[in-house]
Amino acid sequence: MHRRPSIAHRPKTSSAADDSAAPPRPFESSMKRTASQTFSTNGSDAREAPNALGAVHEGMSEEYHSHHAPSGSRSLSRATSMFEGGFKQIRRKLSSSSSRRPSLSAIFDAPGPTSCAAAAVRKNSSDMLRMPLPHYDSGLPLSQFETATPPVNSKISMLKRFSSLRRRPAASGPSGEFAKFNPVPPPIPSNYPLLVPGSAARQAAAAANDARLSQMRREQEQTRKFLENGMSESSIEEIDNDNESGVGMMCSSPIVRADSVLQEKKLVDPLQSLPAEINTLILANLDAPSLIQAELVSKHWHYLATSPHVWKDVFLRRFEPTVHVTPTPIQMGGVGVGMFTKNGKHAPAQNWKQMYRTRKTIDRRWKAATPNAIYLNGHTDSVYCCQFDETKIITGSRDRTIRVWDMNTYECIKVIGGPTHRPVNNTPAVMDTHRAKVVNNPSLNGTDKGNDMYRVPADYHDASILCLQYDDTIMVTGSSDHTCIVWDITGKDYVPMYRLRGHQAGVLDVCLDDKHIISCSKDSAIIVWDRSNGQQIRTLTGHRGPVNAVQLRGNLLVSASGDGVAKLWNLDSGVCIKDFPSEDRGLAAVEFSDDAKYVLAGGNDHVVYKFDAQTGNTLHTSQRHGGLVRSLFLDAFNGRIVSGSYDQSIRVADYSTGAVFATYENWTTSWILSAKSDYRRVVATSQDGRTLILDFGWNVQGAEALVSHA
């Protein structure tokens, strides 16, 4: 069978640099395709070195020649006598190799006198390279190489042998099988960072750290195995031989597992070992949620955690107000911390845990804005002012009367006025109420009961009652008649003590402590009075408009005026310390925090300002009302600001942020003129002549236990 003559050009490589000097030799019809046709080399090179084949023939075994002789062509027989010297040198290179078989490209690229020999002999050389060579360091026995025989000479085997020779070798570097298992690393880039000084020391430190961590892991593993299954004697000896690591330092006493201790010895409850007084001190430092969890630990813990002594401390720490200044400011409403004895101490045998639960329920109703409405009817005109405690509410009106209301029954129990100010029957008219109304007692004006409660004192106001304030012993009222009256309220009847004269216009607001009475007026003046005798101490001037509100904290006084400025005064010197201007228009109401750190003011620009008393800076302003802010009250301990406005709304805001979280609109039929609050309720007065109570403790279980007086 004859093949079609073909010309195979060998790619130009480092070992065939001169192959293009002569045209390729075509196949002869009687020859099988050999390495000389695969790589088109010059035939003249083969004829110029006839002695080179002798060395190759001598280096081969007779078995190899006997196997290939019958199937070789005439070209192969001629190649048997050629290149003896050249391949002898190649054979020596192959024999001297001690690691790996070199690639074909490395063999043919080697320099020497036979580097340009005829391509016809390369078939024998490739077959020679197909045989395994002895590698003394390869780990394989020599017998495998000695007994290896070449494969059967056939067309398929020949194609397999020359398949690798048809691959294009790399232009430089190793190729073939050697390159497969011995890849040349890529060249180092020119911008590769050089080693900086100290890198060797850091590498050594990292290696030492790795060794230390490995040693620690081995020790931990050995300890774990010892604790789980015990250690064999051989393992102990092995550890004991490690003198440097310290692993071999065996304990002088046996290792005891923790679970065995728990099994042999029962844990001791510390609260069972300590005295009851110490247990009370420990548990009293918990907050209420933690104390409730402690009740679930055991029966003994439940007994201790439900102790009234523990819950008393927890309750008072959370809900008892803190006094920051001296003298103590007048408390509006109740404090909601239970009963007191005559000497001012907390009464014994109170259910403090239930009281805590009740206060939390009331606080949730504040947040949810779900009060009940109580209406007080009796005044026949606008109610300008009010104050209340846990037993009574006192209001002053434009009808020139002062009324006292029972906080428990919500009925009027006392009316104080001039002989011509007595109300008549069927007044005031019946007005609308809110759907949350629970109490709306009718007016007693003109009835026998109403007439019996009416009192005409020795001295009284003959004009509108614009302001009032009282404590445990006295009450001060200010009127449009330019004067104030100081009342003794310790008895059943309120008795006027003396009148304060000095203003040139209506008295708009009053405040007091145990030494002073302060009044302010439309005449822009603030007068400081001696409480004991009613003598004028000094007059504070500086406002350029009506002074609408004042409040006292220690020796500091804050005032708000229609001129748009709130001022901070020192009572001892009479000097204005700081001004707090509004952004627009006048101020109608002012509040001073219990710790004298902040000033609140509101007025005709419909917002509530919070000022820093030290710096005078405005900290924030509240959401705008729909009208003038006529009234302000700060309950700093409970964190609430209550404001009343001409937009007929009452708003409750957060003291820290000023954010409004509850708005009560149209619970009355006219302007809100005054609004005060305590822990449970808001008491507000309106231009429609009624007093409104927003009660957040209505029908709350245990609410009566929070009252301070029986």
Side-chain angles (χ1 to χ4, degrees):
M1 181 177 180
H2 299 283
R3 293 178 179 266
R4 185 179 63 180
S6 61
I7 299 174
H9 295 277
R10 180 189 177 196
K12 186 173 181 179
T13 64
S14 59
S15 62
D18 299 328
D19 287 353
S20 62
R25 178 183 176 183
F27 279 110
E28 295 181 7
S29 59
S30 60
M31 293 176 60
K32 292 186 177 180
R33 190 173 188 179
T34 64
S36 62
Q37 284 83 38
T38 304
F39 296 92
S40 301
T41 56
N42 295 332
S44 60
D45 296 338
R47 291 191 295 272
E48 291 175 0
N51 297 328
L53 286 176
V56 178
H57 180 52
E58 292 173 0
M60 295 180 183
S61 63
E62 294 180 0
E63 182 181 359
Y64 178 84
H65 289 292
S66 63
H67 178 75
H68 284 277
S71 60
S73 64
R74 286 190 297 272
S75 63
L76 291 177
S77 64
R78 287 196 302 271
T80 307
S81 60
M82 299 176 64
F83 295 105
E84 292 181 358
F87 277 96
K88 184 175 181 180
Q89 183 179 1
I90 295 173
R91 180 60 180 173
R92 284 197 301 270
K93 285 186 177 183
L94 295 176
S95 300
S96 62
S97 175
S98 61
S99 60
R100 296 177 177 85
R101 185 174 63 186
S103 63
L104 293 176
S105 62
I107 296 174
F108 288 103
D109 290 344
T114 61
S115 61
C116 297
V121 300
R122 294 188 181 179
K123 174 182 178 182
N124 289 342
S125 65
S126 63
D127 291 343
M128 182 71 178
L129 295 175
R130 294 295 179 181
M131 295 181 63
L133 298 178
H135 292 265
Y136 296 98
D137 57 353
S138 63
L140 296 176
L142 294 176
S143 60
Q144 293 180 356
F145 297 101
E146 294 174 356
T147 59
T149 59
V152 180
N153 187 11
S154 64
K155 294 181 180 180
I156 298 176
S157 62
M158 291 294 291
L159 291 174
K160 289 182 178 179
R161 290 179 184 179
F162 287 106
S163 61
S164 63
L165 295 178
R166 294 190 184 97
R167 301 172 186 166
R168 178 188 177 100
S172 62
S175 61
E177 294 295 322
F178 183 85
K180 178 179 180 181
F181 297 104
N182 298 274
V184 176
I188 299 176
S190 60
N191 59 350
Y192 192 80
L194 299 177
L195 293 177
V196 296
S199 60
R202 286 193 293 272
Q203 292 175 359
N209 186 54
D210 292 341
R212 181 181 61 83
L213 295 177
S214 299
Q215 180 65 25
M216 290 178 61
R217 285 192 291 268
R218 287 196 299 271
E219 293 175 5
Q220 292 171 359
E221 181 65 19
Q222 290 170 350
T223 303
R224 184 186 64 80
K225 291 181 179 179
F226 178 81
L227 294 176
E228 290 181 354
N229 304 317
M231 296 186 66
S232 62
E233 294 181 0
S234 60
S235 300
I236 296 176
E237 291 177 358
E238 180 181 352
I239 294 176
D240 194 49
N241 291 332
D242 189 358
N243 297 323
E244 295 183 357
S245 65
V247 179
M249 294 181 178
M250 305 302 295
C251 298
S252 59
S253 59
I255 299 177
V256 181
R257 295 183 58 174
D259 54 357
S260 63
V261 175
L262 297 178
Q263 294 173 1
E264 296 176 3
K265 186 177 181 181
K266 185 179 179 180
L267 290 179
V268 177
D269 186 349
L271 296 188
Q272 290 182 342
S273 303
L274 296 174
E277 295 80 0
I278 302 300
N279 291 335
T280 300
L281 291 176
I282 294 173
L283 295 176
N285 284 280
L286 300 177
D287 56 11
S290 301
L291 193 58
I292 293 173
Q293 292 296 322
E295 296 177 3
L296 306 177
V297 174
S298 65
K299 291 183 179 179
H300 183 65
W301 281 53
H302 182 272
Y303 172 77
L304 295 174
T306 54
S307 168
H309 303 288
V310 174
W311 276 100
K312 177 182 178 181
D313 291 344
V314 174
F315 175 85
L316 295 178
R317 186 171 63 248
R318 171 62 182 84
F319 294 112
E320 188 172 35
T322 303
V323 178
H324 299 279
V325 296
T326 302
T328 303
I330 295 175
Q331 173 66 41
M332 182 67 64
V335 292
V337 294
M339 299 287 294
F340 287 87
T341 61
K342 292 182 179 180
N343 57 4
K345 295 183 179 180
H346 293 282
Q350 300 189 74
N351 191 344
W352 299 100
K353 182 178 180 181
Q354 178 59 44
M355 292 164 61
Y356 189 99
R357 185 182 294 113
T358 302
R359 284 294 300 265
K360 296 298 289 185
T361 302
I362 294 174
D363 288 346
R364 284 193 293 270
R365 293 193 64 183
W366 276 93
K367 289 294 184 182
T370 56
N372 292 102
I374 300 170
Y375 292 92
L376 307 182
N377 300 288
H379 281 294
T380 59
D381 208 334
S382 302
V383 183
Y384 287 125
C385 53
C386 72
Q387 185 181 333
F388 68 97
D389 55 40
E390 291 180 316
T391 60
K392 63 182 178 293
I393 304 171
I394 301 180
T395 57
S397 171
R398 189 182 180 189
D399 63 10
R400 295 176 277 186
T401 64
I402 301 168
R403 287 182 178 258
V404 182
W405 311 80
D406 189 300
M407 182 62 84
N408 296 317
T409 63
Y410 306 111
E411 293 181 349
C412 183
I413 58 176
K414 193 177 299 183
V415 181
I416 303 172
T420 60
H421 308 148
R422 186 186 299 268
V424 297
N425 195 12
N426 297 324
T427 57
V430 178
M431 289 172 280
D432 294 337
T433 59
H434 194 271
R435 63 179 179 274
K437 177 232 3 169
V438 291
V439 175
N440 186 28
N441 293 327
S443 171
L444 298 177
N445 293 339
T447 65
D448 293 340
K449 188 175 182 180
N451 292 331
D452 291 341
M453 71 178 68
Y454 193 86
R455 300 286 187 272
V456 179
D459 196 4
Y460 53 84
H461 291 293
D462 199 20
S464 300
I465 312 297
L466 300 179
C467 55
L468 64 86
Q469 190 169 44
Y470 68 87
D471 59 13
D472 294 338
T473 58
I474 68 170
M475 177 178 67
V476 179
T477 57
S479 171
S480 297
D481 61 10
H482 307 175
T483 65
C484 297
I485 297 178
V486 180
W487 306 78
D488 180 2
I489 61 173
T490 56
K492 180 179 179 182
D493 292 329
Y494 292 178
V495 178
M497 298 170 61
Y498 49 83
R499 188 184 290 260
L500 304 176
R501 292 181 173 89
H503 287 291
Q504 305 301 316
V507 179
L508 301 179
D509 198 11
V510 293
C511 62
L512 57 92
D513 60 16
D514 58 354
K515 294 181 179 181
H516 305 98
I517 297 173
I518 313 296
S519 62
C520 62
S521 170
K522 287 183 180 180
D523 62 8
S524 305
I526 302 171
I527 300 179
V528 181
W529 310 85
D530 189 323
R531 171 172 172 162
S532 61
N533 53 28
Q535 298 297 316
Q536 182 174 339
I537 298 176
R538 66 174 51 89
T539 301
L540 307 179
T541 59
H543 282 294
R544 295 175 297 173
V547 182
N548 295 311
V550 288
Q551 188 142 57
L552 186 61
R553 291 290 181 267
N555 67 334
L556 297 176
L557 177 75
V558 65
S559 61
S561 171
D563 61 8
V565 178
K567 289 181 177 291
L568 181 64
W569 307 83
N570 185 300
L571 283 185
D572 297 333
S573 63
V575 175
C576 178
I577 301 172
K578 192 77 63 177
D579 286 349
F580 310 98
S582 67
E583 295 180 359
D584 183 26
R585 304 182 184 180
L587 296 175
V590 71
E591 279 287 294
F592 207 0
S593 65
D594 293 341
D595 55 6
K597 292 182 178 180
Y598 304 101
V599 174
L600 303 180
N604 207 24
D605 51 5
H606 305 174
V607 298
V608 177
Y609 299 96
K610 183 178 181 180
F611 300 103
D612 188 304
Q614 297 294 326
T615 65
N617 296 331
T618 302
L619 301 180
H620 59 71
T621 57
S622 70
Q623 181 181 348
R624 295 180 64 86
H625 273 278
L628 178 142
V629 179
R630 179 64 174 80
S631 174
L632 274 179
F633 184 79
L634 171 61
D635 184 359
F637 186 78
N638 293 304
R640 293 186 285 261
I641 301 172
V642 178
S643 58
S645 172
Y646 281 1
D647 62 4
Q648 299 181 199
S649 73
I650 300 170
R651 292 186 179 180
V652 184
D654 183 86
Y655 174 45
S656 299
T657 64
V660 176
F661 62 84
T663 302
Y664 307 97
E665 292 183 337
N666 299 320
W667 288 53
T668 63
T669 59
S670 188
W671 299 346
I672 301 297
L673 302 178
S674 178
K676 315 289 184 180
S677 73
D678 65 355
Y679 73 97
R680 170 176 172 170
R681 59 183 71 84
V682 175
V683 177
T685 62
S686 173
Q687 191 185 28
D688 63 10
R690 293 183 297 180
T691 300
L692 169 67
I693 302 174
L694 303 178
D695 191 355
F696 296 89
W698 181 264
N699 280 344
V700 174
Q701 182 181 2
E704 65 280 355
L706 300 175
V707 179
S708 300
H709 301 282

